[in-house]
C-alpha cells in the first residue's frame, strides 16, 4: 500500500503532467516547485521510499515536457533533481540516488533525441554531480549506472551529430572514472564491463529487456519505470487479499 506521502507525490506528479499536456508552463513549474519542497522534507526525515515516489513524479513531468518540447520545464525538472540529489547524497540515501540517476537518464535521453540542448546539457551536469558524489560516498551501483548513462548520452548525441554534447558527456564520464580509480573504488575494468553484464542479463531474462542500454547489441533502452514495481506490488497485495477471504461475521477492522 502507498503511504500518505507517496499518495501526495503521485497527486502532485499527475497534476504537473496534466499542466504539461495542456501546455501550461506556469502551472507545470509550480508543481515542480511543490515537489522540490516536498522532497526536501522527505530527505530531512530520511523517508527514502517516499522520496523515490517523488522522484518518479518529477521524472514523469520531465518526460512529458520533453514530449511536448517544453524546454524550460524539462530543464527545470533536471535542475531540481540535481539540487535534491546533493542533500540525498549527504544522507547516504543510496537507493534514492539510483532513482535520481534513472530519472535524469530518461529525461536527458529524450532531450538529446529531440535535440533540446539546454535540458540535455543539464542532464549531463546532473549525472556528473551524481556520479562524483556516488564515488565519494562509495555507492558502487550508482557509480556504475551513472557512468553507463553518460556513455549512453554520448552515444545518442553522436547519433544526433551533437558533437559538443557528446564530448561533454565523455569528459564527465572520464572524470568520474578517474576519481573512482584514484579513490581505489570501482575500477575502469568494472565500469567498462558493466554494460556487458546488463546485456547478458537482458539476454537471459526477456522480461527485463528494456534495461538494455542504447548502443549495445539488442534493442535500446527506451524506458524502465519504477512504477512497474509499484504496480506489481499492488497486484500481489490484491491477489493475496482475494486468497484470504475474511471469515463470516468478522468485524470491519478484521476485514
Amino acid at each position: 500500500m502507498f503511504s500518505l506521502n507517496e499518495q501526495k507525490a503521485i497527486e502532485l506528479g499527475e497534476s504537473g503532467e496534466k499542466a504539461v499536456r495542456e501546455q501550461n508552463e506556469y502551472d507545470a513549474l509550480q508543481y515542480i516547485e511543490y515537489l522540490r519542497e516536498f522532497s526536501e522534507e522527505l530527505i530531512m526525515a530520511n523517508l527514502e521510499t517516499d522520496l523515490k515516489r517523488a522522484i518518479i513524479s518529477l521524472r514523469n513531468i520531465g518526460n512529458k515536457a520533453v514530449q511536448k518540447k517544453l524546454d524550460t520545464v524539462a530543464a527545470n525538472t533536471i535542475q531540481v533533481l540535481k539540487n535534491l540529489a546533493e542533500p540525498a547524497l549527504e544522507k547516504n540515501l543510496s537507493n534514492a540516488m539510483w532513482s535520481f540517476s534513472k530519472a535524469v537518464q530518461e529525461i536527458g535521453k529524450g532531450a538529446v533525441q529531440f535535440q533540446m540542448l539546454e535540458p540535455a546539457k543539464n542532464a549531463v551536469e546532473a549525472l556528473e554531480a551524481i556520479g562524483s558524489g556516488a564515488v565519494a560516498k562509495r555507492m558502487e551501483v550508482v557509480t556504475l549506472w551513472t557512468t553507463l548513462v553518460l556513455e549512453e548520452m554520448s552515444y545518442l548525441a553522436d547519433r544526433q551529430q551533437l558533437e559538443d554534447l557528446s564530448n561533454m558527456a565523455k569528459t564527465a564520464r572520464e572524470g568520474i572514472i578517474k576519481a573512482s580509480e584514484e579513490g581505489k573504488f570501482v575500477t575502469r575494468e568494472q565500469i567498462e564491463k558493466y554494460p556487458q553484464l546488463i546485456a547478458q542479463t537482458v539476454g537471459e531474462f526477456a522480461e527485463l529487456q528494456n534495461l538494455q542500454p542504447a548502443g549495445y547489441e539488442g534493442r535500446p533502452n527506451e524506458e524502465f519505470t519504477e512504477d512497474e514495481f509499484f504496480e506489481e506490488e499492488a497486484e500481489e497485495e490484491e491477489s493475496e487479499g482475494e486468497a484470504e477471504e475474511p471469515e463470516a461475521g468478522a468485524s470491519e477492522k478484521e476485514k
Side-chain angles (χ1 to χ4, degrees):
M1 291 180 63
F2 289 117
S3 70
L4 291 176
N5 284 330
E6 288 175 295
Q7 190 59 45
K8 180 177 178 180
I10 291 169
E11 291 172 359
L12 288 172
E14 288 176 347
S15 297
E17 289 181 70
K18 182 175 182 289
V20 172
R21 286 195 298 270
E22 295 173 350
Q23 302 280 336
N24 187 336
E25 187 173 297
Y26 176 81
D27 280 359
L29 291 172
Q30 283 294 107
Y31 283 110
I32 291 169
E33 179 63 15
Y34 295 151
L35 278 164
R36 182 192 66 76
E37 294 174 352
F38 183 49
S39 296
E40 287 179 345
E41 295 174 7
L42 297 175
I43 291 169
M44 291 299 294
N46 291 314
L47 297 174
E48 191 166 17
T49 299
D50 299 345
L51 175 61
K52 284 165 64 67
R53 183 59 249 189
I55 296 168
I56 291 171
S57 291
L58 284 164
R59 181 204 67 195
N60 290 345
I61 294 173
N63 281 340
K64 280 286 187 297
V66 169
Q67 292 167 16
K68 293 294 183 180
K69 297 187 177 180
L70 296 179
D71 286 70
T72 301
V73 176
N76 186 267
T77 305
I78 293 173
Q79 190 61 45
V80 165
L81 287 166
K82 177 176 180 281
N83 292 343
L84 289 170
E86 293 172 1
L89 273 167
E90 291 301 315
K91 290 274 191 174
N92 290 304
L93 303 180
S94 58
N95 289 331
M97 292 313 304
W98 187 85
S99 296
F100 278 119
S101 186
K102 273 299 301 172
V104 175
Q105 176 196 30
E106 290 186 19
I107 303 169
K109 280 176 53 182
V112 175
Q113 290 166 334
F114 280 100
Q115 298 193 3
M116 299 166 67
L117 291 181
E118 183 182 359
K121 288 179 179 178
N122 281 7
V124 172
E125 291 173 355
L127 289 164
E128 183 176 18
I130 292 169
S132 298
V135 170
K137 291 292 184 176
R138 319 297 276 187
M139 297 178 180
E140 183 176 2
V141 173
V142 181
T143 300
L144 289 166
W145 187 268
T146 306
T147 50
L148 180 151
V149 174
L150 284 165
E151 184 174 22
E152 185 179 32
M153 292 280 288
S154 175
Y155 169 82
L156 292 172
D158 281 335
R159 288 184 59 182
Q160 294 294 330
Q161 298 183 333
L162 301 172
E163 185 178 354
D164 289 346
L165 182 65
S166 176
N167 290 336
M168 182 181 177
K170 289 175 182 174
T171 300
R173 179 176 181 272
E174 185 63 23
I176 295 169
I177 294 173
K178 285 183 176 179
S180 183
E181 290 197 311
E182 289 172 2
K184 301 188 185 304
F185 187 40
V186 183
T187 67
R188 184 180 296 271
E189 182 181 5
Q190 287 175 281
I191 290 170
E192 297 293 348
K193 192 174 181 180
Y194 192 55
Q196 298 170 24
L197 294 175
I198 291 181
Q200 182 180 348
T201 300
V202 169
E204 293 174 357
F205 302 98
E207 68 273 16
L208 297 178
Q209 195 171 23
N210 56 357
L211 267 172
Q212 181 131 3
Y216 297 93
E217 187 178 355
R219 73 184 178 90
N221 171 13
E222 293 300 332
E223 183 178 14
F224 172 65
T225 64
E226 292 165 85
D227 306 56
E228 293 169 5
F229 290 110
F230 287 105
E231 288 168 3
E232 288 172 6
E233 288 174 3
E235 288 171 2
E236 287 173 5
E237 288 173 2
E238 287 176 7
S239 63
E240 288 173 4
E242 292 171 0
E244 299 175 4
E245 291 292 337
E247 295 179 5
S251 68
E252 286 300 312
K253 184 175 181 182
E254 289 171 335
K255 291 180 185 179

